[in-house]
Structure formats: structure tokens, C-alpha cells
Amino acid sequence: MTEPLRLSKRMAELGLCSRREADDWISKGWVRVDGAVVDVLGSKVLPQQKITVDRRASAEQAQRVTVLLNKPVGYVSGQAEDGYPPAVTLVGADSRWPRDPSPLRFHPSQLRSLVPAGRLDIDSVGLLVLTQDGRIARHLIGEDSTVDKEYLVRVQYARPGRLPERDLKLLNHGLSLDGKPLRPAVVRWQNDDQLSFVLREGRKRQIRRMCEAVGLKVLGLKRVRIGGVRLGSLPPGQWRYLGPDERF
């Protein structure tokens, strides 16, 4: 017999919204299960039951924005820490990329609940996604996410000679961090001192630790792509809206 699931979890599994959004909609009476309103948090459903949401929920969701930022060095992805400002402080009318093709107008209300979908270290730069849409956040950083991310990494070999081919193969598959094996990656040389990394996971300081494991020192790290969305010519410290035709 199939076990019942929390309604909010089931809604997230179906891609309707995030679990936090689901709880909000449930409490507002915007969720129906088999046609009946369910407004009690923690309610459970069976997988075969039909879940629908009020059009007010869909309208609210449509107003949520997703921002692409070229994060410079010196900013943290999330909450401020150790005196470093959060990346969201770079999002404002004055720092919007003048070539942003989106017809959307910036309003300070768009900063509410604008959270990073993934992280970049203080000393890393490049594409950072900030979103109000829980579906996008879950798609990019959920446990079952399969979205790949591409980085350009400038390195210096700490030993005589050049990185052996066997160690390049280890970077592609065979390394572990904190006792857990890493998923296969695609790592290849771009030029004499720069590697391209394509990953489908994002453990803390993962690329730097992978490089350290084979004797490479990271001199610079830049994220240039997340799924089908590229950093392109977006300047450092500027941002633009995710376009309606762009897909991660």
C-alpha cells in the first residue's frame, strides 16, 4: 500500500512550487486535493490524488523574478559573514546591465525573498542566480538536481613538470571529499594554465579541494554557465533578468 506524503512535499515533487511556497498557499486556502480545499499545514495525501492550486497562487508566482548576476570577488552568496557583504546588495536600479533586453522594470519589492540558488565563494567570480521562484531554486540546488555548471579555473602546478594525465583522469572521476565519492565530472585543459570544469554537484569549495588533491593551486575561478544559461558578456558587478525564453 502506498504511504501518504506531506502535501507540501508532494507539491514540490510535482514542480508546482517550493515546500515553503506550498505551506504559504495551504495556509491561505489556495490548495485543493481532489477538489476539496486543504488549509491545514502538515496535511498528507496519496500520490494518486489530484492537487490543484488557485489562480491567485499562479498569478503571485508569475510576478516572481530571477536575476543573473556576475558576482565579483569580495561578496558572499548568501547572508553577510566576516564583514563581507551579500551578493544581493549588488542588485539595484543603478547596477542593472544597460543591455538587458528584458522589459521588466526594477522595483525594490523584487529584493524580498530574492535568494541565491547555489553559491560562489568570496574569492570566486561569475554567474550567480538569485531568485524569488522556489521552483527554480529546487531545480538548481535540490538533491535530485541534474543541472550542470561550467567553470573556468586558472591553476598552477605545485610540483615539477606538468600535471600527469592520470591526475587529470582523477579530476574527471575517482576523487572523494569528506569520505564521499564525487560524481563524474568533465575536466579538460583550455590552455596551458586554465582548466574547464563541468560539474553536476556543488560541495563546499569543491573545485579548489579537487585541485589541491592533485597538486594544483587555484589562482582564479569563474562560473560561466549553469545549464543552458550562460554568463556571456554581462560585466562584473552588474545583473540582468532571466529571459522568458531562457532555460536552465
Side-chain angles (χ1 to χ4, degrees):
M1 187 172 177
T2 306
E3 290 290 324
L5 300 169
R6 281 182 68 104
L7 176 55
S8 57
K9 182 178 181 181
R10 181 60 179 154
M11 290 172 68
E13 284 182 350
L14 292 171
L16 296 173
C17 57
S18 69
R19 293 180 70 166
R20 182 186 297 176
E21 286 172 324
D23 284 338
D24 181 45
W25 294 353
I26 291 166
S27 65
K28 289 177 177 175
W30 289 356
V31 180
R32 292 176 180 266
V33 177
D34 292 338
V37 172
V38 176
D39 57 7
V40 178
L41 295 178
S43 297
K44 295 192 175 184
V45 295
L46 293 169
Q48 65 268 27
Q49 291 186 279
K50 184 178 180 182
I51 300 169
T52 55
V53 297
D54 191 281
R55 60 186 178 186
R56 287 172 291 181
S58 300
E60 182 184 87
Q61 198 171 58
Q63 294 174 0
R64 291 178 180 160
V65 300
T66 296
V67 161
L68 309 175
L69 171 71
N70 187 345
K71 187 191 87 68
V73 169
Y75 289 82
V76 293
S77 300
Q79 297 294 321
E81 56 182 83
D82 300 328
Y84 292 100
V88 72
T89 60
L90 289 168
V91 180
D94 293 341
S95 56
R96 183 179 181 180
W97 189 31
R99 289 167 53 193
D100 184 1
S102 172
L104 288 174
R105 284 190 171 189
F106 174 75
H107 190 275
S109 64
Q110 294 168 355
L111 297 174
R112 288 192 216 117
S113 303
L114 189 68
V115 296
R119 57 175 290 136
L120 272 176
D121 298 328
I122 291 169
D123 44 2
S124 299
V125 303
L127 183 58
L128 182 66
V129 177
L130 300 150
T131 186
Q132 292 179 317
D133 192 331
R135 295 169 302 173
I136 287 178
R138 186 176 187 274
H139 181 59
L140 295 185
I141 59 176
E143 290 182 6
D144 55 350
S145 175
T146 58
V147 178
D148 61 356
K149 301 169 183 70
E150 183 178 355
Y151 304 80
L152 296 181
V153 187
R154 195 158 54 88
V155 294
Q156 183 180 66
Y157 194 39
R159 300 164 191 163
R162 184 173 167 85
L163 182 74
E165 188 63 26
R166 67 176 182 276
D167 286 343
L168 182 63
K169 289 180 179 177
L170 268 181
L171 288 172
N172 278 269
H173 192 213
L175 291 177
S176 296
L177 293 181
D178 304 320
K180 294 178 66 177
L182 294 171
R183 293 183 190 177
V186 178
V187 184
R188 53 177 176 255
W189 288 105
Q190 293 289 104
N191 52 50
D192 287 345
D193 67 349
Q194 186 169 259
L195 288 163
S196 164
F197 277 72
V198 178
L199 307 179
R200 286 197 169 178
E201 60 186 330
R203 301 200 204 170
K204 191 171 183 179
R205 298 184 74 81
Q206 178 174 336
I207 291 177
R208 295 176 189 277
R209 295 170 68 193
M210 289 172 70
C211 287
E212 286 171 9
V214 296
L216 289 172
K217 180 181 179 181
V218 172
L219 304 178
L221 189 154
K222 180 179 185 179
R223 183 157 62 203
V224 295
R225 179 177 64 82
I226 299 177
V229 176
R230 292 187 174 276
L231 178 65
S233 54
L234 182 64
Q238 294 187 17
W239 63 274
R240 67 174 179 86
Y241 292 106
L242 179 72
D245 57 340
E246 291 183 294
R247 297 287 181 272
F248 289 107

